Amino acid sequence: MSSIKYIQNEQHFKDVLSKAATVKESLWIGTADIKDLYVGDEPFLSVIAALLKKGIDVRLIHAKEPGPIFREEFDRYPILIKKLQRQLCPRVHFKIMVFDYREAYVGSANLTGAGIGAKGANKRNFEAGILTDDYNIVDPACNQFDDVWTGKFCANCLRKNLCGSPIK
């Protein structure tokens, strides 16, 4: 029996990020914006680095290069440079996380402190999404992510002039 859970505000932080740390095979992350997010006292990039050390497939699509604080934190984990699969696509605005091809988060929250709910109640964004293992949602989310990942839309994209490193 599948489940669908409506996620809002700080639940993103509790339910979505905690699930990312427990994947066994793969983690796909699609977000327009990504910043130096922390899970408690631990940088989220540290969580990703630990997954990569276990041989887990981690893919990240984001719309623009992150700021200098993120890049500085990123450089602290050499495994991210070697093993994190990363694509830039200026047209990505979806927020999708796919956990082991079995569960997905689809919603409005960027992978930032304000978006994912890690900031205080008076600083975070009002976000909403769903976390589900329902195949009717997980499969299309995987397909949408994979279509962008493989460059399906690159040939006819009218924003290539904004794309620093085209996928295809």
Side-chain angles (χ1 to χ4, degrees), residues 45 68-81:
L45 288 173
I69 296 171
F70 176 91
R71 288 193 307 269
E72 184 178 308
E73 188 69 29
F74 187 93
D75 290 345
R76 288 185 52 219
Y77 303 95
I79 195 164
L80 296 176
I81 296 165

Side-chain angles (χ1 to χ4, degrees), residues 43-147:
F44 187 61
L45 288 173
S46 172
V47 172
I48 293 174
L51 294 173
L52 293 168
K53 287 177 185 172
K54 294 177 186 175
I56 293 170
D57 173 50
V58 182
R59 295 180 180 184
L60 170 64
I61 301 174
H62 52 102
K64 62 182 180 177
E65 282 292 347
I69 296 171
F70 176 91
R71 288 193 307 269
E72 184 178 308
E73 188 69 29
F74 187 93
D75 290 345
R76 288 185 52 219
Y77 303 95
I79 195 164
L80 296 176
I81 296 165
K82 293 177 186 172
K83 298 214 174 187
L84 177 63
Q85 300 176 64
R86 194 169 69 102
Q87 301 274 16
L88 285 173
C89 176
R91 292 181 58 199
V92 165
H93 200 260
F94 57 62
K95 287 72 174 186
I96 296 174
M97 293 181 83
V98 178
F99 311 97
D100 291 328
Y101 314 109
R102 290 177 190 84
E103 291 182 87
Y105 163 78
V106 179
S108 65
N110 279 308
L111 208 56
T112 65
I116 208 78
K119 293 211 178 234
N122 297 328
K123 292 183 179 179
R124 66 176 152 256
N125 299 338
F126 301 117
E127 305 283 1
I130 58 168
L131 180 62
T132 184
D133 62 357
D134 186 312
Y135 174 81
N136 295 306
I137 297 171
V138 175
D139 191 51
C142 287
N143 290 338
Q144 182 179 18
F145 185 100
D146 200 49
D147 284 348

Side-chain angles (χ1 to χ4, degrees), residues 5-16 116:
K5 182 176 183 182
Y6 184 78
I7 305 287
Q8 59 186 349
N9 303 327
E10 72 276 0
Q11 283 179 289
H12 284 90
F13 181 71
K14 293 174 186 167
D15 295 344
V16 178
I116 208 78

